[in-house]
C-alpha cells in the first residue's frame, strides 16, 4: 500500500520557484495539465535541514528538502545565482532518492531550499548528495533522525555511488577555516588520493575534526540518520525458460543456413558460420544459456555472417513482431519488458543486435505466467521512465558541462506511438547516462586509481542490483530482463550489464506499482 507522508510547513516569503515543464504525448493517455494541478506547498520546513557551506565566499547556508505526494515536479528556492545548476542537482537527487526508496519518481513532488545571508553562485549541479538524503528521509519519515551539523563532500552517480574530483586535503582545510568540523567524504577519495587523504586524516586529528568516508548514498544515509535504508525482499519466483533464447537463435540459424545454401553462398563463409555455431552449441551444452542474451556471443556471430551473405533481414522481424503483438494482447509485464528489449534491439540498425533481438523475442513468447498490468499502468510507467531520463540527462549535463543527455531525442522518443520501443529505449538510455557519468569521473583518475574505484563500483553494483530485484519482488514487479542481465554481468565480469539490469529492474518495478497505486 502506498505510504502517505504528512509534512508540516511554515510560510517563507521571498523564495523563488523554478519547476521543470514536461511535454506529454496524447497517445500515452495522460492529461498534459496533470503535472500542474497541485499548487506548490508553502515553503520552508525548518525541521529538515542540513547546514552546508556553499563556496566560494565561505557562505554558510541552511539547506532543507522534503517530498509530498505529487507527480514528479521539482521545486527549488533560495538566494541563488546559478538556478539551472541548482535545479539540475535537485532533479538528480529526486531520481536517485526515488530509486533507493523503491518508489516511482512521478509519485512525489520534490522541494529543495537553501537560505543564506548572501546570494549563492555555484556552477554545475549543487549539493545533490545532501539533497538525496533529505528526500529519502522525507519519503521514509526519518526527518527527526537527521544530524544537522554534517557536511558532505562529493557528487552522486545515478546508481547512488559517491564520486569526487576534489583534492581532499585542501578541501578539508578550507572547510575547517569555514567552521565545519564534521565531514563525510566519498570513499573514492580515500582510494584514489593516497597520501593526500592521509594528510587530510592527520589534519582532522590535529584539529578535532570528525572525518568519515562513505561509499554510497545508503552509507551516507546511515551516517546521517543512524537508520539503514530498508531492504524489502519478496519471493523471487521468476517463471521463464532460460533456454528459449538459444533455441530461438537455433531456429533462425537453420533458416539462414538453408537460405545461404540455396543462394550458393561462398563455402568459406559457410564454414566460418558453422565454426561459430559449434561454439554456440558448446556454450549451450555447458548450461550457460544467459550468454545468448548479450552481445557478443558465437550464435550471433554465426547468424550475422549468414544475414550479410544472403542480404536478407526479413527473417529477423517475424518473431519479434509476434512477441510484441503477444505482449500487447496479454499485458503480461514479463512479456512486455522482454518484448520491449527485443523491439529496441530490432530498431538499432545493427545486424548483430537485430539478431540478438530474436533471443529476447523467443524468451518473451515462452513466458506463460507473471504479473498482469493495465494499459494505463503501462503508460504511467512509461511516463515515469521519461521524466526520470529527462531529469537524469539534465543532471549529467550540468555536472559534465556537456550535452551527453539529449532532451530533444528523449522527447521525440516519448512522442512516437511505438510504446514498447519507447520502454526499451528509455530503460537503456537511463543505464547509458549512468555509465557516462561514472566514466566522466573515472577518466579523471590515473590508471591505478581508476582500477581501484572500478572494482569498488563493481562490488557496489552487484549488491545494489540484488537488493533492487528483491525489493521489486516485494512490490510484485521483479524484472526478467534485469535478472538475466545480473547473471550475465556476474558471469562475464561486465560491469555495464549491471547498469542495464538496474534500469530495467527499477522501471519494471515502478510500472507494476503505478498500475495498482492508481487503481480505483
Amino acid at each position: 500500500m502506498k505510504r502517505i507522508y504528512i509534512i508540516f510547513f511554515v510560510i517563507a516569503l521571498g523564495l523563488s520557484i523554478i519547476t521543470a515543464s514536461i511535454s506529454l504525448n496524447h497517445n500515452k493517455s495522460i492529461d498534459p495539465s496533470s503535472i500542474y494541478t497541485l499548487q506548490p506547498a508553502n515553503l520552508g520546513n525548518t525541521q529538515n535541514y542540513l547546514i552546508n557551506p556553499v563556496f566560494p565566499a565561505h557562505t554558510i547556508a541552511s539547506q532543507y528538502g522534503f517530498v509530498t505526494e505529487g507527480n514528479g515536479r521539482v521545486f527549488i528556492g533560495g538566494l541563488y545565482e546559478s538556478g539551472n545548476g541548482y535545479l539540475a542537482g535537485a532533479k538528480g537527487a529526486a531520481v536517485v532518492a526515488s530509486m533507493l526508496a523503491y518508489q516511482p519518481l512521478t509519485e512525489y513532488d520534490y522541494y529543495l531550499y537553501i537560505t543564506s545571508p548572501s546570494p549563492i553562485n555555484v556552477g554545475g549541479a549543487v549539493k545533490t548528495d545532501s539533497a538525496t538524503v533529505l528526500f529519502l528521509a522525507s519519503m521514509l519519515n526519518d526527518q527527526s533522525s537527521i544530524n544537522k551539523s554534517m557536511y558532505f563532500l562529493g557528487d552522486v552517480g545515478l546508481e547512488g555511488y559517491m564520486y569526487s574530483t576534489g583534492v581532499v586535503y585542501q578541501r578539508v582545510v578550507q572547510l575547517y577555516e569555514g567552521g565545519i568540523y564534521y565531514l563525510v567524504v566519498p570513499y573514492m577519495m580515500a582510494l584514489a588520493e593516497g597520501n593526500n587523504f592521509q594528510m587530510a586524516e592527520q589534519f582532522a586529528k590535529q584539529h578535532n575534526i570528525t572525518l568519515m568516508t562513505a561509499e554510497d548514498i545508503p552509507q551516507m544515509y546511515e551516517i546521517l540518520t543512524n537508520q539503514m535504508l530498508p531492504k524489502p525482499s519478496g519471493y523471487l519466483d521468476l517463471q521463464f525458460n532460460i533456454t528459449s533464447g538459444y533455441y530461438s537463435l537455433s531456429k533462425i540459424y537453420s533458416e539462414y543456413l538453408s537460405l545461404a545454401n540455396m543462394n550458393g553462398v561462398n563455402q568459406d563463409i559457410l564454414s566460418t558460420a558453422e565454426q561459430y555455431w559449434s561454439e554456440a552449441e558448446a556454450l549451450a551444452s555447458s548450461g550457460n544459456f544467459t550468454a545468448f542474451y548479450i552481445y557478443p556471443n558465437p550464435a550471433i556471430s554465426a547468424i550475422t555472417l549468414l544475414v550479410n551473405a544472403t542480404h536478407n533481414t526479413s527473417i529477423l522481424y517475424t518473431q519479434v513482431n509476434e512477441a510484441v503483438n503477444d505482449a500487447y494482447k496479454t499485458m503480461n509485464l514479463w512479456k512486455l519488458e522482454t518484448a520491449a528489449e527485443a523491439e529496441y534491439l530490432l530498431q538499432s540498425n545493427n545486424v548483430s543486435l537485430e539478431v540478438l533481438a530474436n533471443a529476447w523475442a523467443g524468451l518473451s513468447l515462452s513466458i506463460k505466467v507473471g504479473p498482469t498490468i493495465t494499459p494505463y499502468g503501462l503508460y504511467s510507467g512509461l511516463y515515469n521512465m521519461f521524466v526520470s531520463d529527462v531529469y537524469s540527462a539534465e543532471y549529467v549535463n550540468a555536472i559534465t558541462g556537456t550535452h551527453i543527455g539529449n532532451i530533444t531525442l528523449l522527447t521525440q522518443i516519448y512522442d512516437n506511438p511505438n510504446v514498447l520501443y519507447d520502454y526499451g529505449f528509455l530503460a537503456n538510455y537511463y543505464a547509458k547516462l549512468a555509465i557516462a557519468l561514472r566514466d566522466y569521473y573515472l577518466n579523471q583518475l590515473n590508471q591505478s586509481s581508476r582500477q581501484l574505484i572500478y572494482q569498488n563500483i563493481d562490488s557496489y553494483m552487484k549488491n545494489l542490483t540484488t537488493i533492487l530485484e528483491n525489493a521489486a519482488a516485494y512490490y510484485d514487479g521483479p524484472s526478467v530482463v534485469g535478472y538475466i542481465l545480473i547473471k550475465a554481468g556476474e558471469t562475464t565480469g561486465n560491469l555495464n550489464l549491471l547498469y542495464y539490469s538496474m534500469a530495467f529492474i527499477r522501471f519494471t518495478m515502478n510500472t507494476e506499482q503505478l498500475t495498482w497505486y492508481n487503481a480505483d
Side-chain angles (χ1 to χ4, degrees):
M1 180 175 292
K2 182 177 176 182
R3 303 179 182 89
I4 298 177
Y5 303 95
I6 301 174
I7 305 293
F8 296 92
F9 304 108
V10 296
I11 298 176
L13 301 178
L15 299 180
S16 57
I17 302 295
I18 297 178
T19 164
S21 107
I22 299 297
S23 171
L24 300 181
N25 177 4
H26 65 279
N27 292 326
K28 303 299 189 291
S29 299
I30 294 178
D31 180 4
S33 66
S34 64
I35 64 171
Y36 302 110
T37 56
L38 297 178
Q39 295 301 312
N42 292 328
L43 308 185
N45 185 350
T46 56
Q47 296 304 308
N48 306 332
Y49 70 92
L50 297 179
I51 301 298
N52 286 301
V54 182
F55 290 94
H58 294 263
T59 302
I60 303 299
S62 172
Q63 181 185 28
Y64 51 93
F66 53 91
V67 304
T68 65
E69 288 192 42
N71 35 34
R73 299 171 301 176
V74 176
F75 299 93
I76 62 172
L79 295 171
Y80 55 85
E81 294 177 1
S82 180
N84 288 338
Y86 188 14
L87 180 59
K91 289 179 177 179
V95 169
V96 178
S98 59
M99 177 178 72
L100 295 178
Y102 320 112
Q103 296 296 310
L105 173 75
T106 52
E107 283 295 284
Y108 300 94
D109 286 338
Y110 304 82
Y111 300 83
L112 183 64
Y113 305 107
I114 288 181
T115 58
S116 64
S118 60
I120 300 164
N121 182 18
V122 182
V126 178
K127 299 310 300 172
T128 305
D129 44 12
S130 50
T132 303
V133 174
L134 288 167
F135 289 158
L136 275 168
S138 183
M139 288 178 175
L140 301 173
N141 203 27
D142 283 338
Q143 301 98 313
S144 62
S145 302
I146 292 176
N147 183 328
K148 299 176 178 64
S149 63
M150 192 176 297
Y151 178 73
F152 296 156
L153 191 62
D155 294 321
V156 184
L158 290 174
E159 73 288 273
Y161 189 80
M162 291 302 303
Y163 294 95
S164 179
T165 57
V167 182
V168 64
Y169 173 72
Q170 287 83 342
R171 298 292 295 277
V172 169
V173 172
Q174 184 184 38
L175 291 167
Y176 171 75
E177 292 173 349
I180 302 301
Y181 314 109
Y182 196 172
L183 299 131
V184 182
V185 302
Y187 182 55
M188 173 179 177
M189 282 185 164
L191 288 177
E193 297 196 29
N195 290 337
N196 197 294
F197 184 77
Q198 292 176 12
M199 290 171 58
E201 285 187 308
Q202 186 61 33
F203 181 88
K205 290 177 182 177
Q206 291 172 351
H207 296 83
N208 296 316
I209 299 171
T210 299
L211 178 61
M212 306 174 71
T213 61
E215 177 181 298
D216 48 51
I217 287 294
Q219 285 186 4
M220 293 183 72
Y221 189 86
E222 184 176 358
I223 291 171
L224 186 66
T225 66
N226 286 321
Q227 307 289 328
M228 296 186 66
L229 287 178
K231 297 179 181 178
S233 183
Y235 180 52
L236 195 61
D237 185 22
L238 292 167
Q239 297 186 33
F240 62 91
N241 187 348
I242 191 66
T243 66
S244 300
Y246 167 71
Y247 287 114
S248 173
L249 295 178
S250 179
K251 178 176 179 291
I252 297 291
Y253 173 74
S254 297
E255 291 182 32
Y256 272 107
L257 186 60
S258 176
L259 184 61
N261 285 321
M262 287 175 57
N263 292 349
V265 169
N266 182 285
Q267 187 59 47
D268 288 342
I269 293 176
L270 293 177
S271 296
T272 304
E274 289 173 1
Q275 180 180 347
Y276 278 131
W277 192 255
S278 295
E279 295 176 15
E281 290 178 324
L283 267 179
S285 296
S286 72
N288 184 9
F289 290 100
T290 58
F292 298 103
Y293 298 96
I294 61 173
Y295 174 80
N297 72 64
I300 291 176
S301 299
I303 297 170
T304 300
L305 270 178
L306 298 178
V307 172
N308 291 331
T310 57
H311 306 288
N312 186 327
T313 60
S314 60
I315 296 173
L316 300 177
Y317 285 77
T318 304
Q319 187 170 225
V320 176
N321 290 336
E322 183 183 353
V324 168
N325 291 333
D326 186 52
Y328 281 134
K329 181 179 178 181
T330 63
M331 292 303 291
N332 178 303
L333 183 57
W334 295 343
K335 281 181 173 288
L336 286 165
E337 63 156 352
T338 48
E341 179 71 347
E343 180 72 1
Y344 168 73
L345 292 169
L346 189 68
Q347 304 298 328
S348 64
N349 294 318
N350 180 308
V351 172
S352 295
L353 297 183
E354 291 169 10
V355 174
L356 178 60
N358 281 268
W360 289 103
L363 177 63
S364 184
L365 287 167
S366 74
I367 293 173
K368 304 301 180 186
V369 298
T372 301
I373 63 172
T374 64
Y376 183 79
L378 176 59
Y379 299 144
S380 297
L382 198 67
Y383 176 64
N384 178 69
M385 296 167 74
F386 169 64
V387 177
S388 298
D389 278 10
V390 168
Y391 287 2
S392 298
E394 293 180 22
Y395 177 57
V396 170
N397 290 350
I399 288 179
T400 62
T402 65
H403 295 286
I404 293 172
N406 191 330
I407 309 299
T408 301
L409 174 62
L410 287 169
T411 303
Q412 291 171 347
I413 292 298
Y414 186 74
D415 282 343
N416 84 68
N418 189 339
V419 173
L420 281 194
Y421 174 77
D422 293 356
Y423 193 114
F425 180 93
L426 294 172
N428 280 279
Y429 200 79
Y430 181 79
K432 290 178 180 179
L433 287 171
I435 291 169
L437 186 57
R438 177 201 71 194
D439 291 346
Y440 166 78
Y441 288 104
L442 291 181
N443 290 338
Q444 298 179 53
L445 304 174
N446 61 44
Q447 185 173 357
S448 59
S449 295
R450 187 184 308 131
Q451 185 60 32
L452 281 173
I453 304 303
Y454 190 89
Q455 292 171 353
N456 192 240
I457 296 171
D458 182 74
S459 175
Y460 168 76
M461 287 300 295
K462 287 175 180 175
N463 184 55
L464 173 69
T465 50
T466 300
I467 290 172
L468 281 178
E469 185 73 318
N470 285 321
Y474 176 83
Y475 289 106
D476 295 327
S479 169
V480 168
V481 177
Y483 180 84
I484 290 175
L485 293 180
I486 288 174
K487 298 305 177 185
E490 291 174 348
T491 301
T492 62
N494 187 337
L495 173 58
N496 285 354
L497 291 177
L498 299 179
Y499 277 79
Y500 287 98
S501 72
M502 169 189 69
F504 267 96
I505 294 168
R506 168 181 192 169
F507 291 135
T508 298
M509 170 174 57
N510 291 163
T511 301
E512 166 74 5
Q513 290 168 311
L514 287 164
T515 290
W516 304 115
Y517 279 1
N518 298 309
D520 292 332

